[in-house]
Amino acid sequence: MMCINIVSVAPMRAQAAHRSEMVSQLLFGEQCDILNSEGDFYQVRSRYDGYEGWVQATQLVPLEAGMFDESMVCTAPLDAHVWVNDRPLRLSPGSECYFPASGRGKVNREALALPGYNILYHHPLPLMPLEPTTPNSEAILTCAMQYLGTPYLWGGKSIWGIDCSGFVQMVFKQNGMFVPRDAWQQAEGGDAIGFLQEAKPGDLAFFDNDEGRITHVGIMLNDHQILHASGVVRIDPIDNEGIIHAESGRRTHHLRLLKRYF
């Protein structure tokens, strides 16, 4: 069964329990497939990145194939919302909005009906097509800067809390380019960059731990500064060895490799 998330942010947990670790999130409008059920939870697989986890069943609504003929992704964090059953619902960047299939809503594109729910899109709602495009450095950094100050949250993907790889994934999603969910997966894509001095804005830098595992990722602002989620989404200096905390001067992450996705 296919479902759609009907809340601003739905936690995806490692087990079917609220106390279980949050491994990722579904933002409003993101689709998933039901794999299993246990108590009040569904085990789901995200249709966007294939990530699996357990989501509270009441946060999902069944979805029929062919209900929509156009999908858009929300691109702005401030005052973006929809009305769900006459209640306002805040949207995080990366949320997905859908418009009715042909013959239902071509004139009035603001309304969409789901089983038990009526959605009204607030205008002007900042949207772009959810389809593959080739971004540019300026667009990537403009989007990334909107997250400055967002607190770090393990498994987070939203403007209210985000982890390092979720930050990268959401910035690229809003610019029409898919990257996987985890930092180690992201490190497997793109084209390798030999030297830090060759990095351009929007390139990705990856960092490893003492065991050599990729554990962190950030977006290059230029060849000596990086945007990344560490405590909060912040800008720090970077050199050939890694990241230096701007305030404390302490080295926090060891540079492993650089990749270019566009």
Side-chain angles (χ1 to χ4, degrees), residues 207 224-226 228 234-254:
F207 306 83
H224 60 278
Q225 290 178 304
I226 189 169
H228 67 130
R234 53 182 292 115
I235 298 174
D236 280 319
I238 182 174
D239 60 20
N240 289 318
E241 292 186 37
I243 297 175
I244 302 168
H245 192 276
E247 285 76 39
S248 70
R250 182 173 60 90
R251 189 170 299 281
T252 58
H253 298 86
H254 176 260

Side-chain angles (χ1 to χ4, degrees), residues 80-226:
H81 66 276
V82 295
W83 292 84
V84 178
N85 291 352
D86 299 322
R87 297 187 299 270
L89 185 77
R90 292 287 302 275
L91 297 187
S92 179
S95 300
E96 297 179 18
C97 299
Y98 299 88
F99 297 99
S102 300
R104 292 181 294 159
K106 283 297 185 180
V107 176
N108 179 11
R109 292 163 53 88
E110 296 184 355
L112 178 66
L114 291 170
Y117 294 89
N118 184 62
I119 298 172
L120 292 175
Y121 294 111
H122 172 73
H123 290 272
L125 186 62
L127 301 171
M128 69 168 288
L130 184 60
E131 59 187 28
T133 60
T134 301
N136 59 65
S137 295
E138 182 179 0
I140 289 288
L141 294 187
T142 297
C143 180
M145 294 292 282
Q146 294 180 121
Y147 287 88
L148 276 178
T150 297
Y152 180 88
L153 177 66
W154 178 268
K157 290 176 26 178
S158 83
I159 199 70
W160 303 294
I162 204 162
D163 63 23
C164 64
S165 56
F167 169 57
V168 169
Q169 187 188 51
M170 288 299 100
V171 168
F172 275 71
K173 180 181 183 181
Q174 293 164 66
N175 283 275
M177 178 168 284
F178 173 81
V179 296
R181 178 64 178 90
D182 290 336
W184 68 268
Q185 297 170 313
Q186 295 169 1
E188 293 180 346
D191 298 319
I193 302 169
F195 302 97
L196 183 66
Q197 291 71 27
E198 298 175 351
K200 72 175 185 179
D203 287 340
L204 300 184
F206 296 91
F207 306 83
D208 60 12
N209 60 14
D210 293 339
E211 289 76 43
R213 294 177 54 249
I214 299 293
T215 58
H216 192 65
V217 61
I219 301 173
M220 296 297 296
L221 184 62
N222 46 53
D223 66 358
H224 60 278
Q225 290 178 304
I226 189 169

